[in-house]
Amino acid sequence: MRYIIIGAGAIGGSVGGRLAEAGHEVVLVARGTHREVLRERGLTLTTPDGTRTHRLPVVENPAELGELHPDDVLVLAVKTQDAEAALDAWSARPVAGGGTAAETLPLICAQNGVESERMALRRFRRVYGMCVWLPSTYVEPGAVSAAGAPYTGMLHLGRYPAGTDDTARRIAADLESGRLLAPVVADVMRWKYGKLLGNLANAVEALTGPLTGEEALDLVRRARAEGEAVLAAAGIEAVGEQEQKDTRADRIHLEPLDGSPRGGGSSWQSLSRGTGTIEADYLNGEIALLGRLHGVPTPVNETLQRLANEFARERREAGAMGVGELVALVDKAS
């Protein structure tokens, strides 16, 4: 199998680098300065076991690859707000032997949130969900770091909307050869909804900084309580916090990385890099959407969604809002 990593940022770069280290064929898809540095100097991946540079093929768009291989695996690792464009770009690409990528190739949604799989299934016949637990950081163009040890992360994998197959098991075996735990599960969306509840904290961290004080943690609890109420009203099952902890147990722990400090989560990193977008519409916004569909008020998540988007559009600094100010705005909306 050849793995085409669509979005070689913190997650995509970590997964692609680990697969390459294990001897698998990998192509990175990136843009801008990141693409230029990857082409010129390679992908630098720092983990607790050292820093390595991987010279891998890098493209900006599918046309640069030409005809795809029948054993290609597409790994969608862009933020959900960028998924539509990526799916459009890759779905119609011809595959050697006949057919298009959308008709013949497996596509893995390795993203936060639960919307990309649905987007993908409109175009691709073979869609797989991946619940990503892989603490990683986009350090600078061409360089990413991942602090997990002895495994870099845990990636639950399964067919969308449900089920497993031999392809999922083959992909999981390849991931595990690269020090990435990859349980194959028939209920992958249950895991992704569980991760979604945890990711509701991302906006709080992005707006106010590290979640250390009781005031910030209480706001996170309020956001999660709304999420749990909404999922219950919608009849959606999600993996609980304890089951997630028990599954990881002592198999993965985080270690300090010399020269590559661990930054905040994915939303914090989006603000820190000034990308102009943030994934709040598909995290807190997913709860707001389900709340409106099922008649459950979600003022905390709606406020976090709105403010996170404002920060992103205005390219305001991550952590620039005081926790007290944020709580006051949430209380006002409530």
Side-chain angles (χ1 to χ4, degrees):
M1 290 180 165
R2 179 175 69 165
Y3 290 88
I4 299 174
I5 311 294
I6 304 170
I11 297 298
S14 298
V15 171
R18 281 306 204 189
L19 284 169
E21 288 172 20
H24 301 289
E25 190 175 1
V26 174
V27 176
L28 303 178
V29 182
R31 59 189 178 184
T33 305
H34 188 47
R35 170 183 57 84
E36 294 171 9
V37 175
L38 289 171
R39 283 180 171 174
E40 293 173 6
R41 301 203 294 264
L43 169 68
T44 299
L45 173 61
T46 298
T47 61
D49 53 318
T51 297
R52 285 84 58 205
T53 299
H54 304 286
R55 301 305 300 260
L56 303 170
V58 181
V59 300
E60 184 171 9
N61 58 69
E64 294 179 45
L65 269 183
E67 199 171 46
L68 299 175
H69 301 171
D71 65 344
D72 282 343
V73 175
L74 305 180
V75 180
L76 188 65
V78 298
K79 295 290 197 305
T80 305
Q81 63 266 27
D82 298 320
E84 200 87 45
L87 291 166
D88 283 343
W90 288 88
S91 59
R93 295 306 304 170
V95 178
T100 63
E103 293 168 334
T104 64
L105 297 184
L107 178 129
I108 301 171
C109 295
Q111 299 148 297
N112 287 332
V114 294
E115 183 62 22
S116 288
E117 287 83 1
R118 192 167 182 267
M119 290 183 192
L121 202 62
R122 291 183 183 274
R123 301 163 175 80
F124 284 80
R125 292 177 181 170
R126 302 170 62 196
V127 176
Y128 296 77
M130 176 178 280
C131 182
V132 177
W133 193 85
L134 197 168
S136 57
T137 301
Y138 176 96
V139 179
E140 62 184 10
V144 299
S145 66
Y151 295 97
T152 298
M154 179 172 283
L155 313 172
H156 284 79
L157 176 66
R159 286 296 298 260
Y160 178 79
T164 64
D165 60 15
D166 288 340
T167 298
R169 286 183 280 273
R170 288 179 61 197
I171 293 168
D174 287 351
L175 291 167
E176 297 213 340
S177 72
R179 302 178 74 172
L180 293 159
L181 292 170
V184 176
V185 294
D187 57 350
V188 69
M189 296 311 292
R190 176 173 168 266
W191 287 89
K192 294 202 73 165
Y193 275 103
K195 178 81 183 306
L196 170 66
L197 291 174
N199 285 146
L200 299 179
N202 288 19
V204 180
E205 180 190 51
L207 293 167
T208 68
L211 302 175
T212 54
E214 186 56 34
E215 199 172 19
L217 293 174
D218 181 64
L219 187 55
V220 169
R221 286 190 286 267
R222 291 170 63 185
R224 185 182 180 98
E226 284 185 357
E228 290 172 345
V230 161
L231 295 188
I236 296 172
E237 187 179 359
V239 171
E241 291 180 281
Q242 192 59 52
E243 185 175 354
Q244 294 178 63
K245 291 177 182 177
D246 290 345
T247 301
R248 290 195 297 269
D250 295 328
R251 305 177 76 185
I252 304 174
H253 59 272
L254 303 184
E255 294 188 2
L257 297 172
D258 293 340
S260 297
R262 164 73 174 148
S266 56
S267 298
W268 183 91
Q269 292 183 48
S270 291
L271 292 185
S272 295
R273 293 168 57 195
T275 62
T277 66
I278 198 167
E279 59 190 340
D281 284 345
Y282 301 99
L283 301 178
N284 308 92
E286 181 69 26
I287 300 306
L289 168 62
L290 289 173
R292 291 163 191 155
L293 288 173
H294 298 281
V296 179
T298 59
V300 176
N301 283 285
E302 288 178 28
T303 304
L304 292 174
Q305 177 189 8
R306 174 177 61 81
L307 292 172
N309 279 322
E310 288 179 6
F311 264 55
R313 284 193 299 270
E314 298 168 7
R315 288 179 165 78
R316 295 179 63 184
E317 184 181 351
M321 178 176 282
V323 176
E325 180 185 359
L326 177 57
V327 170
L329 291 170
V330 168
D331 287 344
K332 183 179 179 180
S334 302

